[in-house]
Amino acid sequence: MYKKFEVVPSLYIPGKDITVLHVEFLEEALEAVGVLRDLTAIIAMKGISILKIHFTGLYATIFLDTTGKSPKEVEETAEALIKGVKFIKKVDIQIPEVKGFAIDKTVIPTFFNERAIILRESAFKSIIEGIFKSLKVVPQTVLYIIGREMGENFFKRHVETMGVMDKRSYALIAEQIFRGIGFGIPENVKMDLEGGEVEYIVYDCVEC
């Protein structure tokens, strides 16, 4: 069984004023020790609760509970981070616009350095159901063709990004990506690398 995690840096807690700090780090931060410790310690000293932290590369999205806090207190916290944490380059403040909800408006999702479009399961299934209702006669064929085209283009893109690898490594990476982006849980039942044929059983498939 797998655990779920939120892909989009967002948060919903009814009744809270949620302020977003988008923190940009210097490259040296990737190898430095104690950056996250120093960052959270400064926020704690300001008496502000951290609701969630979303890290990716040189950026962090920090969701703060600023219910009852003034804009000046938030600004002072951001200034303290820049002064007190050695490898912070910049801190952007996004004040609450809607009670109980916040999202980092400075980022868009990417995957392997390519822009990613995130569809929730309900939206993805609506597309599939729409194809079945509209075409009626050949929906399975259309889905097969689309799936094959997507797979081939994914493969080409991954080869461009990761470089030349052995076939087994490509297959294992494909399995992990398939699961990681939410299509389902693949179980390999056949892997003929010389013949170029692999076979999987997919559990919890989003298309089913």
Side-chain angles (χ1 to χ4, degrees), residues 5-8 109-111 115-129 131 143 146 150 154 178 180-184 206-207:
F5 73 99
E6 288 289 325
V7 178
V8 178
T110 61
F111 190 62
R115 181 172 178 173
I117 307 298
I118 298 173
L119 287 178
R120 292 193 291 188
E121 183 177 6
S122 56
F124 188 80
K125 286 188 173 181
S126 295
I127 294 173
I128 295 174
E129 289 171 2
I131 292 174
L143 287 175
I146 292 173
M150 287 174 62
F154 282 155
F178 186 91
I181 61 179
F183 278 124
V206 72
E207 296 180 24

Side-chain angles (χ1 to χ4, degrees), residues 77-201:
T77 301
E79 291 171 1
L81 289 175
I82 294 173
K83 293 177 181 178
V85 182
K86 186 176 180 181
F87 299 106
I88 287 183
K89 181 179 180 180
K90 184 180 180 183
V91 178
D92 289 322
I93 302 171
Q94 299 172 40
I95 61 173
E97 294 182 351
V98 180
K99 195 80 169 178
F101 178 78
I103 188 169
D104 190 344
K105 297 179 291 185
T106 66
V107 299
I108 61 170
T110 61
F111 190 62
F112 278 92
N113 295 318
E114 183 177 13
R115 181 172 178 173
I117 307 298
I118 298 173
L119 287 178
R120 292 193 291 188
E121 183 177 6
S122 56
F124 188 80
K125 286 188 173 181
S126 295
I127 294 173
I128 295 174
E129 289 171 2
I131 292 174
F132 269 77
K133 289 178 182 178
S134 299
L135 299 179
K136 295 182 180 179
V137 180
V138 289
Q140 292 91 344
T141 303
V142 172
L143 287 175
Y144 171 79
I145 293 172
I146 292 173
R148 184 178 178 84
E149 285 291 321
M150 287 174 62
E152 288 181 357
N153 281 287
F154 282 155
F155 179 77
K156 291 175 183 177
R157 179 62 178 170
H158 295 328
V159 171
E160 291 173 3
T161 303
M162 296 180 288
V164 178
M165 295 182 177
D166 60 276
K167 293 179 181 179
R168 184 174 183 277
S169 293
Y170 282 132
L172 293 175
I173 290 171
E175 288 179 25
Q176 294 171 29
I177 290 175
F178 186 91
R179 176 172 178 158
I181 61 179
F183 278 124
I185 304 172
E187 178 183 312
N188 180 256
V189 294
K190 179 181 180 181
M191 186 174 290
D192 178 8
L193 298 177
E194 295 302 320
E197 183 178 356
V198 292
E199 184 177 334
Y200 292 91
I201 296 174

